[in-house]
Amino acid sequence: MSKPYQLPPMRLKGFLLLIAILLPLASSAQKPEKPNSSEIYEDLRKLSFFGTALYVAAHPDDENTRLISYLANDVKARTAYLSMTRGDGGQNLIGPEIRELLGVIRTQELLAARATDGGSQYFTRANDFGYSKHPDETLAIWNKNEVLKDVVMNIRRFKPDIIVNRFNHRTPGSTHGHHTSSAMLSVEAFDLAGDPTAFPESAEKYGLWQPKRLFFNTSWWFYGSQEKFDEADKTNLMAVETGNYFPTRGLSNGEIAALSRSMHKSQGFGSTGSRGSQTEWLEFIKGDFPKNKEDLFEGVNTSWSRMEGGAAVGAIVDQVIANFNFQDPAANVPKLLEAYKLLEKLPASHWKSIKLEALKKIILDCSGIFLEAVADQQETTLKSDPNIRIEAINRSNLNVKLNGLTSAVVKFPDMFAAVPLATNQSYTASSVSGTFSPLAEYTAPYWLKEPGTLGMYKVSREDYIGLPRAPQRFLVQFNISINGVNMSALRNVVYKFNDPVDGEVYRPFDVLPELTSAIAEKVIIFANTNPKVIPVEVRAGKANISGELSLELPEGWTASPSSIDFKLDNQGEKQRFNFTVTPPANQSEGYIRPLLTSGGQKYTQELIQIDYPHIPFQDVLMPSEAKVARIPIAKRGEHIAYVKGAGDAIPESLEQIGYHVVTLAPKELSLANLANYDALVFGVRAYNTVEELQFKKQVVADYVASGGNVIVQYNTSRGLVTNDFAPYPITLSRERVTDEYAPVTLLAPQHPVLNSPNKITASDFEGWVQERGLYFPSSWDNQYEAILAMKDKQAKEDSKGSLLVAKHGKGHYIYTGLSFFRELPAGVPGAYRLFANLLSIGK
């Protein structure tokens, strides 16, 4: 075996850049791919198509998976989805994660979707700051020039022949500002990608590129109705049949697309597969208009001759495709090796890098060669020395040898001769102790490592920008020969274990801090001056570590004790330590931050682990902190019943200010049971997601009539389990106020909800986050009184449906679209005071 080596810094940078370019070819999961003969055959067919398509939209779940799957699986084009954001501003239907953590989940869901439909995934640095009514607002918050820079860079790097926009760039203000902005940026970047004066840094790194044509993926929806679309002039439109059936997969394109879309589980986008003919419509926007409206790639050389010297390689590949041996894929390898040797000798080019890597993978798959590098632990620290064990096995009758192992981060034993990999005989080796040397940074989502702005993530590593995740960092290069032909294969170090239920489970191998800390409650409200005990959990990233824990506090706050000594014996061990924190007498807000000191090092991060079955396990590092707020709050009543909706943290927030909250299942909603509670609160989108609530209107109305207090938080206008959910009619709409700074007018300044037990003024609407509210009612029965008015800058009239209160019998029924589900977890004082008034009305 050849001697392992350390890549020098400059070579390492170029090596990581190459991996970054080829990264989208790999699966997002840690579990290795094990393709069958049919899958290898389809990969081989894709090898012979030299066309590239880029789909562009704003968020995860905006992409048209039917068209992406069609391009990737039917046309065989190299296809990617460019999402402007990671979907950080959406709601989470599967767990408590919001904002940055939701962005991590939705990034992985996109990668899972692309692994399903055959595409690749890219991003910009834009942050999904929430709903925006106009692209002017969107592009101002995003920093248009920087996002445009990212779009141009992605085009130059991916080099698409055709670009397809999901949204219409000509209709600003008619839909989500992020949507229109994504199309506007794509249209502008189409020309700039080939302009040497535009963003010269990416031009130098990736070269200039001019796509052939740009389309808008239109449909009848954009025309207002199917009838209007049928009557529209379709001169500039191309019809694409996307309902084809793929016998080698046993699935139609519509079924693959549905499986892909169903990966967006955090947004509740599970989809049922469709079969039969389906048409997608593409409107020509820019570039060379195709004379043949049956060919999206007209005028693009999509054959092997596109690459200098490629025709000879293509001729061999075509022979293998025509005579592919499904029963014994290894029988195809000798011819594929001929193609590989020819391709290796061709001049360096964009397509050579892509096709050489793809051909290598096909050869390895045909040969049944399995290569893996597995760590003996899921995590390590910068100073630890895990054992890395490799496995290599040749499951064919080909002459395969393992000639060496090389890695920039780990050393393996020197071997002086090549190791023959006998048929179906596993070869294993372990790393040399004391040689693990990770690149000096922790493993975490790269876009979260530095504080950003409301609209943009900050990414100092420019070669990372646009990638779904950082390039694989712990690579082992297997140097092998097959029938005398040398090639290398890269494998990232992973961790795996056996689960009694799930069997073999793969997880990423991560480098984490030696110590992390966490305060479970991210917002801690002090309604009075009484001290609270605040637990801080300390976690050991390695065994036998000790140190000191203290708290950084806002001015005027105190903690006892001032510091705590600790010792943890085992890696992964957690201990909880309590501090008694006392607030100041007056209203005050700030952050408390645990500070860990050990061996002269300071540690200030929290480790958050995200584990859902449909995406890979994720270790996320965030600043360890909790917001504390001294908010003088008066309240009436004590016991609150809560019906969960699509997921929010309102119950925990209410408990912070002294309420006792009990979560009730729909079947527990009886008049006798509700008589024990001072108020009944429905979680966000409860009437969208809880089917049983369609049968509970009378119980809720009777509870209100008997003196109860009901608060229903926002529901979307589409997908209600019943339109008849309130004691008096309400019509929901998509109306919202997205500007969190929008002035609020008190329409009913004398109403109890604005006066008792807390006096609500305009100052209580300061410091709100992301938005004022959403899905406000557009009309309501005159039994309701509108309490507030507000509007965005672009709106002509005030919206008055954000907070409606109706007297019904002895009690009160309240419907509110105000975004309490965002404001209370963010510790917004005015939102707490107003919600306490809503709970207290009539008491």
Side-chain angles (χ1 to χ4, degrees):
M1 184 176 291
S2 59
K3 186 176 180 179
Y5 64 94
Q6 299 292 320
L7 291 173
M10 287 305 295
R11 188 174 174 190
L12 178 60
K13 182 178 180 181
F15 177 67
L16 290 177
L17 178 59
L18 174 64
I19 297 304
I21 294 172
L22 298 178
L23 177 72
L25 298 172
S27 169
S28 63
Q30 291 80 37
K31 193 172 183 178
E33 294 180 354
K34 300 173 184 177
N36 58 41
S37 292
S38 294
E39 290 168 329
I40 297 171
Y41 176 73
E42 294 302 329
D43 288 342
L44 190 59
R45 290 181 61 206
K46 191 167 188 175
L47 186 71
S48 289
F49 190 86
F50 281 69
T52 304
L54 181 66
Y55 199 88
V56 179
H59 310 105
D61 72 44
D62 282 345
E63 79 274 26
N64 184 339
T65 55
R66 287 191 303 275
L67 193 57
I68 289 175
S69 177
Y70 162 79
L71 289 165
N73 299 301
D74 202 331
V75 178
K76 303 298 181 185
R78 185 168 168 260
T79 307
Y81 173 41
L82 172 59
S83 177
M84 296 293 143
T85 76
R86 296 175 186 267
D88 329 74
Q91 281 86 51
N92 185 359
L93 300 187
I94 61 173
E97 298 88 357
I98 59 173
R99 293 300 306 147
E100 294 90 350
L101 296 179
L102 178 58
V104 173
I105 291 173
R106 298 189 73 185
T107 295
Q108 291 298 328
E109 288 181 334
L110 271 177
L111 286 169
R114 298 293 79 77
T116 304
D117 60 34
S120 303
Q121 185 61 51
Y122 293 106
F123 294 95
T124 75
R125 289 168 292 160
N127 193 334
D128 179 3
F129 56 84
Y131 192 89
S132 175
K133 288 186 175 179
H134 200 278
D136 289 350
E137 177 194 41
T138 299
L139 295 173
I141 293 175
W142 275 356
N143 187 335
K144 177 191 172 182
N145 193 62
E146 288 300 304
V147 182
L148 180 60
K149 175 182 176 181
D150 290 358
V151 176
V152 170
M153 180 273 298
N154 274 300
I155 291 173
R156 287 169 172 168
R157 177 172 58 196
F158 192 61
K159 296 181 172 26
D161 299 302
I162 65 170
I163 297 176
V164 181
N165 291 343
R166 184 68 184 107
F167 299 106
N168 193 345
H169 67 287
R170 298 158 296 196
T171 54
S174 63
T175 183
H176 196 326
H178 296 184
H179 292 170
T180 310
S181 295
S182 71
M184 293 169 66
L185 291 165
S186 177
V187 169
E188 191 169 348
F190 182 86
D191 294 323
L192 293 180
D195 182 351
T197 65
F199 311 114
E201 299 87 354
S202 65
E204 182 180 355
K205 181 178 292 186
Y206 301 111
L208 300 177
W209 184 254
Q210 183 56 61
K212 189 74 171 176
R213 55 186 63 98
L214 173 68
F215 297 101
F216 159 42
N217 185 194
T218 190
S219 71
W220 68 263
W221 188 88
F222 291 96
Y223 287 74
S225 69
Q226 184 66 52
E227 291 75 16
K228 291 181 180 179
F229 180 69
D230 291 341
E231 296 171 359
D233 179 10
K234 297 183 176 61
T235 303
N236 278 358
L237 269 61
M238 295 178 67
V240 179
E241 170 57 51
T242 62
N244 294 337
Y245 173 68
F246 305 120
T248 56
R249 299 186 67 168
L251 295 169
S252 69
N253 190 67
E255 289 171 316
I256 295 171
L259 291 171
S260 173
R261 189 154 184 80
S262 295
M263 289 300 170
H264 296 297
K265 299 184 188 303
S266 65
Q267 301 302 293
F269 280 141
S271 299
T272 300
S274 61
R275 289 149 294 280
S277 178
Q278 283 187 319
T279 302
E280 288 293 329
W281 292 91
L282 300 179
E283 179 185 355
F284 173 79
I285 301 296
K286 265 191 176 187
D288 293 338
F289 187 83
K291 296 177 183 178
N292 178 6
K293 295 177 72 172
E294 302 294 320
D295 183 5
L296 296 175
F297 288 88
E298 186 201 62
V300 177
N301 184 354
T302 60
S303 72
W304 278 95
S305 63
R306 184 171 188 174
M307 182 172 57
E308 182 184 350
V313 180
I316 299 172
V317 173
D318 288 344
Q319 289 180 41
V320 178
I321 292 173
N323 301 289
F324 191 80
N325 189 328
F326 286 87
Q327 296 298 319
D328 181 16
N332 304 299
V333 170
K335 275 289 183 184
L336 291 174
L337 288 173
E338 287 182 32
Y340 183 83
K341 288 188 290 183
L342 279 178
L343 184 54
E344 256 193 326
K345 295 175 183 177
L346 297 184
S349 70
H350 168 73
W351 278 112
K352 178 187 175 181
S353 298
I354 293 167
K355 296 302 183 181
L356 192 65
E357 196 66 26
L359 179 55
K360 183 195 303 180
K361 181 181 181 300
I362 290 169
I363 292 170
L364 293 171
D365 290 341
C366 283
S367 305
I369 294 174
F370 179 83
L371 305 170
E372 190 170 67
V374 180
D376 63 350
Q377 56 198 65
Q378 194 263 316
E379 64 182 84
T380 187
T381 66
L382 295 175
K383 299 178 182 178
S384 295
D385 186 36
N387 179 59
I388 310 299
R389 181 177 178 273
I390 66 100
E391 178 185 358
I393 185 169
N394 164 31
R395 293 171 290 184
S396 72
N397 291 318
L398 298 166
N399 179 17
V400 180
K401 294 179 181 179
L402 178 62
N403 298 319
L405 297 165
T406 56
S407 174
V409 293
V410 62
K411 182 178 180 180
F412 292 91
D414 290 343
M415 301 181 66
F416 300 102
V419 177
L421 296 181
T423 303
N424 217 28
Q425 299 297 310
S426 178
Y427 172 81
T428 62
S430 295
S431 59
V432 175
S433 178
T435 61
F436 181 77
S437 54
L439 310 177
E441 59 179 337
Y442 299 128
T443 306
Y446 71 84
W447 64 95
L448 297 180
K449 290 191 174 183
E450 301 175 81
T453 64
L454 173 64
M456 291 286 289
Y457 284 115
K458 182 179 179 182
V459 181
S460 294
R461 289 286 301 266
E462 290 197 1
D463 52 327
Y464 285 10
I465 293 173
L467 301 179
R469 60 190 185 281
Q472 307 284 23
R473 299 175 62 237
F474 307 113
L475 292 165
V476 175
Q477 179 174 298
F478 290 76
N479 302 311
I480 64 173
S481 64
I482 303 174
N483 285 3
V485 178
N486 292 322
M487 63 180 64
S488 63
L490 294 170
R491 295 293 184 268
N492 196 54
V493 175
V494 296
Y495 171 71
K496 66 179 180 180
F497 63 95
N498 184 72
D499 181 88
V501 174
D502 295 325
E504 187 178 55
V505 176
Y506 280 80
R507 283 190 176 177
F509 172 66
D510 291 338
V511 173
L512 300 173
E514 295 183 352
L515 288 167
T516 53
S517 62
I519 299 174
E521 298 291 341
K522 299 308 177 190
V523 175
I524 304 168
I525 306 300
F526 291 76
N528 50 47
T529 58
N530 295 335
K532 288 190 176 185
V533 174
I534 298 181
V536 179
E537 186 176 81
V538 177
R539 182 187 187 276
K542 71 172 190 177
N544 300 316
I545 188 166
S546 59
E548 180 184 81
L549 168 65
S550 59
L551 288 182
E552 294 181 353
L553 298 161
E555 185 177 353
W557 296 68
T558 61
S560 178
S562 59
S563 64
I564 298 173
D565 293 330
F566 65 86
K567 184 178 186 301
L568 289 86
D569 297 325
N570 303 301
Q571 184 186 50
E573 181 181 349
K574 299 176 182 177
Q575 286 188 24
R576 183 171 294 181
F577 304 96
N578 292 331
F579 291 88
T580 300
V581 175
T582 304
N586 299 322
Q587 182 165 321
S588 173
E589 296 177 61
Y591 288 86
I592 56 174
R593 297 181 173 92
L595 175 62
L596 295 161
T597 306
S598 177
Q601 298 291 318
K602 297 184 184 299
Y603 301 90
T604 59
Q605 292 179 295
E606 175 182 1
L607 173 63
I608 302 158
Q609 296 180 317
I610 299 175
D611 190 9
Y612 291 103
H614 67 298
I615 57 176
F617 180 92
Q618 297 288 294
D619 283 320
V620 182
L621 293 171
M622 298 285 286
S624 182
E625 60 186 19
K627 183 176 181 179
V628 289
R630 165 73 176 100
I631 308 173
I633 301 175
K635 66 182 185 67
R636 298 189 182 124
E638 185 175 357
H639 298 283
I640 307 299
Y642 200 89
V643 177
K644 286 186 176 179
D648 60 60
I650 297 292
E652 296 86 346
S653 299
L654 296 180
E655 288 172 347
Q656 292 267 9
I657 58 174
Y659 283 105
H660 298 289
V661 183
V662 176
T663 298
L664 298 182
K667 65 181 180 181
E668 297 176 291
L669 295 180
S670 66
L671 192 58
N673 196 9
L674 290 174
N676 299 311
Y677 298 97
D678 298 300
L680 168 63
V681 181
F682 288 87
V684 298
R685 296 173 65 182
Y687 282 96
N688 295 122
T689 58
V690 185
E691 291 283 345
E692 298 93 324
L693 290 184
Q694 63 185 300
F695 309 115
K696 294 298 181 179
K697 176 187 175 181
Q698 193 58 51
V699 171
V700 173
D702 290 346
Y703 168 67
V704 177
S706 64
N709 183 8
V710 168
I711 302 171
V712 178
Q713 297 179 85
Y714 97 91
N715 292 271
T716 62
S717 53
R718 295 175 61 186
L720 289 165
V721 298
T722 174
N723 291 310
D724 185 22
F725 58 85
Y728 309 111
I730 290 177
T731 302
L732 302 184
S733 73
R734 296 180 63 84
E735 188 175 342
R736 60 180 80 201
V737 175
T738 62
D739 182 1
E740 61 266 44
Y741 305 106
V744 177
T745 301
L746 308 183
L747 295 175
Q750 303 308 314
H751 196 283
V753 296
L754 297 180
N755 291 277
S756 179
N758 304 288
K759 180 67 175 177
I760 302 300
T761 67
S763 64
D764 287 294
F765 293 94
E766 295 175 0
W768 284 50
V769 299
Q770 189 160 327
E771 62 206 357
R772 289 296 190 199
L774 60 171
Y775 291 97
F776 296 161
S778 57
S779 63
W780 49 88
D781 190 274
N782 58 15
Q783 294 289 336
Y784 294 98
E785 185 169 5
I787 307 300
L788 305 172
M790 58 191 74
K791 68 175 182 178
D792 284 316
K793 293 177 183 178
Q794 298 85 5
K796 295 179 180 179
E797 298 180 356
D798 279 331
S799 175
K800 300 178 180 179
S802 63
L803 180 59
L804 304 176
V805 182
K807 191 81 168 63
H808 180 63
K810 299 178 182 179
H812 295 82
Y813 185 92
I814 300 171
Y815 186 92
T816 179
L818 293 171
S819 59
F820 288 111
F821 72 101
R822 296 196 194 279
E823 312 312 321
L824 298 193
V828 177
Y832 271 94
R833 287 159 47 80
L834 179 55
F835 207 96
N837 281 12
L838 300 183
L839 293 170
S840 301
I841 190 171
K843 300 294 181 288

